[in-house]
């Protein structure tokens, strides 16, 4: 197993992407500590992991709360080997920037930078002590797309943060890697009216004529967090099915 005896923290572990990553980590032997605002949601995923023979805990946590993030990280026995943050950022899509309110534009930028900094810092403080660790980010860069509000601006900010973290933490044996996607249709709500149209748009932009699945995200996350990827840092793993050309 790729992650045997590793401690992994997944912020937003109750969501579709967080759940997929958590299950993949557990399948590869990690003890997964799921955190999210809604305890019932993260507990459901943790229960599924335990039922399948894995190890998981669930905690109610607002990953935008500095004190709460630090307290939760400090409570994890045995240190933190892997950290990934996939909480929602409160972005508003479908409205042109020229018609968008300042609040709707800046919310995802503020939330993404704040929560990623807080959770990465909390993990880094523990990883520095042990001289190893992996911090994963989710999103990545890409060609501008219309009507995404502040979301791509937020991802751009996270890429800058990733580079800085990788530079400072590398000497301590800590890797920082982005999982770069171009949209995961399975993660969209089933009742989303334009779901089929958005899925078609995502697939049409790919070279492989298929979109990445939640299972794909989980598998790549497990690989990126493992020693098989020990030479990869300060970089993005492109899982866009060819939408983004490196």
């Amino acid at each position: 197993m790729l992650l045997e005896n590793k401690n992994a923290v997944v912020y937003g572990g109750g969501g579709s992407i967080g759940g997929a990553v958590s299950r993949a980590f557990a399948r590869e032997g990690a003890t997964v500590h799921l955190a999210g605002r809604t305890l019932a949601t993260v507990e459901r995923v943790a229960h599924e992991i335990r039922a399948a023979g894995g190890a998981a805990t669930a905690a109610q946590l607002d990953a935008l709360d500095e004190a709460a993030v630090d307290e939760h990280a400090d409570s994890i026995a045995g240190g933190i080997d892997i950290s990934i943050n996939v909480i929602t950022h409160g972005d508003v899509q479908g409205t042109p920037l020229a018609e968008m309110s300042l609040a709707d534009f800046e919310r995802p930028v503020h939330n993404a930078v704040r929560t990623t900094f807080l959770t990465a810092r909390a993990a880094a403080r523990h990883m520095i002590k042990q001289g190893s660790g992996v911090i994963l980010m989710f999103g990545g860069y890409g060609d501008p797309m219309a009507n995404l509000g502040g979301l791509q601006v937020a991802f751009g900010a996270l890429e800058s943060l990733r580079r800085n973290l990788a530079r400072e933490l590398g000497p301590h044996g800590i890797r920082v890697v982005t999982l770069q996607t171009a949209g995961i249709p399975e993660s969209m709500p089933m009742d989303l009216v334009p779901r089929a149209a958005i899925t078609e748009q995502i697939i049409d932009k790919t070279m492989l004529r298929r979109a990445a699945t939640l299972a794909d995200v989980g598998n790549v996350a497990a690989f990126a967090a493992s020693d098989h990827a020990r030479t990869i840092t300060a970089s993005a793993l492109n899982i866009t099915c060819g939408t983004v050309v490196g």
Side-chain angles (χ1 to χ4, degrees):
M1 292 187 287
L2 294 177
L3 304 176
E4 192 171 11
N5 299 321
K6 300 292 187 181
N7 265 338
V9 184
V10 181
Y11 300 95
S16 58
I17 294 171
V21 170
S22 296
R23 294 182 188 95
F25 284 171
R27 183 194 67 224
E28 295 297 337
T31 297
V32 185
H33 302 274
L34 297 92
R37 282 188 173 183
T38 305
L39 182 59
T41 305
V42 289
E43 183 56 60
R44 174 181 55 79
V45 178
H47 175 75
E48 292 174 2
I49 290 173
R50 292 191 292 264
T57 69
Q60 186 171 23
L61 173 70
D62 180 356
L64 292 164
D65 184 323
E66 180 177 12
V69 168
D70 288 341
E71 182 179 354
H72 176 260
D74 292 343
S75 72
I76 297 175
I80 299 174
D81 301 296
I82 305 159
S83 176
I84 182 170
N85 186 327
V86 288
I87 76 165
T88 58
H89 298 148
D91 51 292
V92 174
Q93 300 186 28
T95 302
L97 289 173
E99 300 173 14
M100 180 168 285
S101 70
L102 173 61
D104 284 345
F105 171 76
E106 69 180 1
R107 186 185 309 108
V109 181
H110 175 270
N111 287 351
V113 173
R114 179 185 177 94
T115 188
T116 304
F117 171 75
L118 291 177
T119 55
R121 186 186 68 178
R125 288 173 172 174
H126 289 270
M127 293 173 177
I128 287 171
K129 296 176 184 178
Q130 63 199 32
S132 65
V134 181
I135 297 172
L136 299 178
M137 296 185 180
F138 185 84
Y141 57 89
D143 293 334
M145 295 178 63
N147 301 333
L148 290 185
L151 183 61
Q152 282 193 309
V153 178
F155 284 158
L158 293 187
E159 286 298 276
S160 179
L161 177 58
R162 183 254 291 167
R163 292 185 179 94
N164 280 272
L165 284 170
R167 180 65 185 88
E168 291 189 9
L169 298 177
H172 298 284
I174 302 166
R175 298 189 292 111
V176 188
V177 180
T178 298
L179 305 183
Q180 182 182 7
T181 77
I184 312 296
E186 286 179 290
S187 68
M188 293 186 290
M190 293 300 295
D191 59 353
L192 182 66
V193 175
R195 190 176 197 272
I198 295 174
T199 298
E200 184 177 355
Q201 289 174 4
I202 292 172
I203 293 174
D204 284 347
K205 291 178 181 293
T206 70
M207 294 181 182
L208 298 178
R209 289 297 176 258
R210 57 180 170 82
T213 65
L214 290 172
D216 291 330
V217 175
N219 290 337
V220 174
F223 164 75
S226 77
D227 286 342
H228 285 341
R230 63 191 297 269
T231 59
I232 301 174
T233 192
S235 184
L237 290 178
N238 186 333
I239 53 175
T240 68
C241 293
T243 300
V244 176
V245 180

